[in-house]
Amino acid sequence: MNSRSRYVWAYAMIAPTLIGTVLFWSWPAIYSIYLSFLKSENFGMINHWIGLANYEKLFKDKEFWKNLRNTLYYTVLFVPVTLVFSTLFAVLLNAKIKGQSVYRVIFFLPQVTMPAAAAMVWIVLFAHDYGLINFVLGTDVAWISDKHFAMIALVIVGVWGAIGFNMLLILAGLQGIPRSLYEAGEIDGAVGLRKFRYITLPLLTPTLFFTTVVLMIGATQIFDSIYLLIGKTNVALPAVRSLVYAYYQNSFVYYDQNYGAAIVDILLIINLILTGVQFAFQKKWVVYD
């Protein structure tokens, strides 16, 4: 087989993914940007070019800034906690313990559980009068209807749902570390936490970097937990409403798709900035050698 034939087969193999990416990711993003410069009428049959008017309205909207703050606050709480617990469980499951496969399945179950079913269980657990969490902790907290605790409830549910997948990513990174390095470290006196500090953690940083990027992008797009757990009539909704939830409200409840498109375009820019900052600073803590 000549080199040209290999290239043809290579492009044929990646064509489905490439076409899917263009159709379901790139084109919607481009069209969303286009919509944000329009004012649509008659269900999108008539469109008027209004330039930056939607963005001007957005930046003057106090609710937008509050939703942005909620989104970033959730991200700041969710990402570190998920990363720490995912790493901890991955390290424990990487050790030689009985029933490894069973534990891996248990930790991964939230990833394959239907969000609506999981939300129903969490609503019962967080219930003010009869919830198991208040009973166990001996507290009297309205977890999902008190604006001071609703965000904490969302973070708990989010971490519970995200640990399984990210644990597997980190576990794959752990299993890629050569055993010979640990043996050499033991000869030099690296045991216990020293082994983790000077061997495992540095060599795991590429995986942790990738996991952090994915977690941060996912956290800024929180919607389902707010929709299913908090609900649209909850008095605590303004304290936890995210940018994606605001996009949903404006686009599908108030039928202002142009303003909704402006919201998600700003979120896209924020994600690009956050990801760019992470790539810019990766050389300071990520070890690739």
Side-chain angles (χ1 to χ4, degrees):
M1 183 181 292
N2 56 41
S3 59
R4 185 175 181 179
S5 298
R6 285 199 294 267
Y7 279 118
V8 170
W9 277 108
Y11 283 117
M13 292 297 103
I14 66 173
T17 301
L18 188 62
I19 294 172
T21 301
V22 172
L23 290 178
F24 298 109
W25 292 92
S26 301
W27 170 243
I30 295 171
Y31 189 68
S32 173
I33 295 172
Y34 170 69
L35 276 179
S36 67
F37 294 105
L38 303 177
K39 178 63 177 177
S40 301
E41 298 177 358
N42 294 338
F43 301 99
M45 299 298 294
I46 301 175
N47 296 306
H48 304 284
W49 182 269
I50 59 173
L52 297 174
N54 283 317
Y55 292 98
E56 293 176 2
K57 175 184 175 182
L58 189 68
F59 291 128
K60 293 178 181 179
D61 188 354
K62 293 182 180 179
E63 187 175 284
F64 163 75
W65 293 106
K66 189 172 183 179
N67 297 335
L68 175 60
R69 185 188 65 186
N70 292 338
T71 302
L72 295 178
Y73 183 44
Y74 175 84
T75 302
V76 169
L77 293 177
F78 169 79
V79 174
V81 175
T82 304
L83 196 63
V84 169
F85 277 101
S86 298
T87 304
L88 175 63
F89 290 137
V91 171
L92 292 176
L93 290 179
N94 194 45
K96 294 181 179 179
I97 58 175
K98 293 182 179 180
Q100 270 188 346
S101 300
V102 176
Y103 287 119
R104 290 177 186 176
V105 171
I106 291 174
F107 285 125
F108 193 74
L109 275 177
Q111 195 69 34
V112 296
T113 302
M114 292 293 291
M120 291 178 63
V121 175
W122 279 108
I123 288 174
V124 174
L125 292 175
F126 282 126
H128 183 199
D129 299 324
Y130 55 85
L132 183 62
I133 293 178
N134 275 337
F135 177 78
V136 172
L137 298 179
T139 55
D140 185 29
V141 175
W143 290 96
I144 58 177
S145 58
D146 189 323
K147 65 180 182 179
H148 299 102
F149 295 96
M151 184 65 76
I152 296 176
L154 288 176
V155 171
I156 292 173
V157 175
V159 171
W160 172 83
I163 282 179
F165 176 74
N166 294 283
M167 177 198 68
L168 289 184
L169 290 178
I170 297 172
L171 183 59
L174 287 170
Q175 294 179 345
I177 300 175
R179 183 64 190 170
S180 58
L181 294 178
Y182 289 110
E183 294 172 354
E186 290 173 359
I187 294 174
D188 292 335
V191 294
L193 291 177
R194 290 174 62 87
K195 186 189 297 184
F196 177 80
R197 168 66 179 83
Y198 294 104
I199 299 176
T200 304
L201 192 57
L203 295 177
L204 194 60
T205 50
T207 304
L208 294 177
F209 171 70
F210 171 77
T211 306
T212 303
V213 172
V214 173
L215 279 173
M216 191 164 291
I217 293 174
T220 58
Q221 298 177 13
I222 177 177
F223 168 76
D224 52 349
S225 295
I226 301 174
Y227 183 82
L228 295 170
L229 198 68
I230 304 300
K232 60 183 178 181
T233 60
N234 195 318
V235 294
L237 179 60
V240 298
R241 185 192 290 113
S242 66
L243 289 178
V244 175
Y245 193 94
Y247 158 75
Y248 156 75
Q249 281 189 318
N250 283 279
S251 298
F252 301 105
V253 178
Y254 308 141
Y255 298 105
D256 190 352
Q257 295 181 350
N258 308 107
Y259 189 66
I263 294 175
V264 293
D265 290 341
I266 294 298
L267 181 59
L268 173 62
I269 294 172
I270 291 172
N271 272 318
L272 289 175
I273 293 173
L274 292 176
T275 304
V277 169
Q278 291 179 84
F279 272 94
F281 284 95
Q282 67 168 319
K283 294 181 179 179
K284 296 183 179 296
W285 66 280
V286 180
V287 179
Y288 288 105
D289 296 328

